[in-house]
Amino acid sequence: MKLEGTTIIGVRRNGQTVIAGDGQVTQNQQVIMKSNARKVRRVYNDSVILGFAGSVADAFTLSERFEEMLNKFSGNLMRAAVELAMLWRGDRALRQLEALMIVADKTDMYIVSGSGDVIEPEHGVCAIGSGGNYALAAGRALLDNTDMTAEQIAREAMHIASDICIFTNSNIVVEVA
C-alpha cells in the first residue's frame, strides 16, 4: 500500500518566506486515507521550515535525515541541503525513496530531490507534489500581479490548486520562516 498525494508551495516576498501544504494522503489513486496530515513542519529550533511531498514513509525518513544534517552543520541550510542530496543520491537504500522537499529559513529556500538536485527558485516561488504545477502557476501569477504577502499568496495558490487537483485538499498548513 503506497500512501502519497499532496501539494507543497514555498513563497518568498519582501523578506518573508513561507511554506504551505495541504493535508491529503491518498492510497494509490483510489482512496483518500487522511485529510488532515501535517506535511509542513518546523525543525532546528524552529528556525527552518520544510515541506515534503511523495510517499509518506519516505518523506519522513528524508526529513529526519535533513534534521541530522542541519544539526551536523550548525543550521547551515545550503550545506545541509547539499549534503542530504549527496547522501540521498549516493546511498543505495535512500536512492529508492520517492519524495521531494522544500526547505527554507529566513534567507534561503531550496527544493531538494533524490537525483542530487538542490534548486533555488528563480522567481520567489516553488512548488512540488501532485498539485505542484497548479500551485506554482497560481503563485507566480499572484506574485507578479498583486500586492499580497507571501503568506497570502501561498494560501491562495493552495486553494486554487485544491480546486483543480484531486490529490490536493483545502486543509492548509502554513509555516512562516
Side-chain angles (χ1 to χ4, degrees):
M1 178 170 67
K2 190 173 185 179
L3 301 177
E4 57 188 334
T6 198
T7 302
I8 305 292
I9 188 169
V11 179
R12 165 171 265 126
R13 176 177 246 181
N14 298 331
Q16 183 185 51
T17 303
V18 302
I19 296 178
D22 75 319
Q24 187 160 302
V25 177
T26 58
Q27 177 187 353
N28 299 321
Q29 303 210 356
Q30 297 139 343
V31 179
I32 296 173
M33 299 293 289
K34 185 173 176 125
S35 64
N36 64 347
R38 190 168 176 87
K39 294 172 264 182
V40 176
R41 55 185 234 176
R42 296 181 160 283
V43 295
Y44 196 71
N45 301 319
D46 291 339
S47 64
V48 173
I49 49 179
L50 66 85
F52 51 81
S55 175
V56 176
D58 293 354
F60 275 117
T61 299
L62 291 168
S63 65
E64 287 173 7
R65 292 292 178 105
F66 180 66
E67 281 188 82
E68 291 170 10
M69 294 298 172
L70 281 170
N71 287 323
K72 182 176 180 179
F73 297 109
S74 304
N76 183 322
L77 186 71
M78 170 60 107
R79 181 79 189 270
V82 168
E83 291 293 326
L84 175 66
M86 288 172 38
L87 177 67
W88 192 352
R89 183 177 171 97
D91 185 277
R92 193 178 298 269
L94 288 179
R95 199 176 315 142
Q96 306 305 312
L97 300 181
E98 297 177 7
L100 286 168
M101 293 187 349
I102 297 176
V103 297
D105 62 14
K106 289 189 292 188
T107 58
D108 298 305
M109 180 168 57
Y110 305 104
I111 296 174
V112 184
S113 80
S115 58
D117 298 321
V118 177
I119 302 165
E120 184 174 13
E122 188 174 41
H123 300 285
V125 62
C126 60
I128 58 175
S130 307
N133 289 335
Y134 305 117
L136 179 64
R140 287 192 58 187
L142 292 166
L143 194 65
D144 290 345
N145 296 292
T146 70
D147 292 327
M148 296 169 79
T149 67
E151 183 174 353
Q152 291 169 328
I153 290 170
R155 286 184 186 281
E156 184 61 24
M158 289 297 299
H159 283 295
I160 291 168
S162 73
D163 285 345
I164 299 169
C165 177
I166 62 170
F167 297 108
T168 305
N169 70 16
S170 59
N171 187 356
I172 298 168
V173 172
V174 178
E175 291 288 350
V176 180

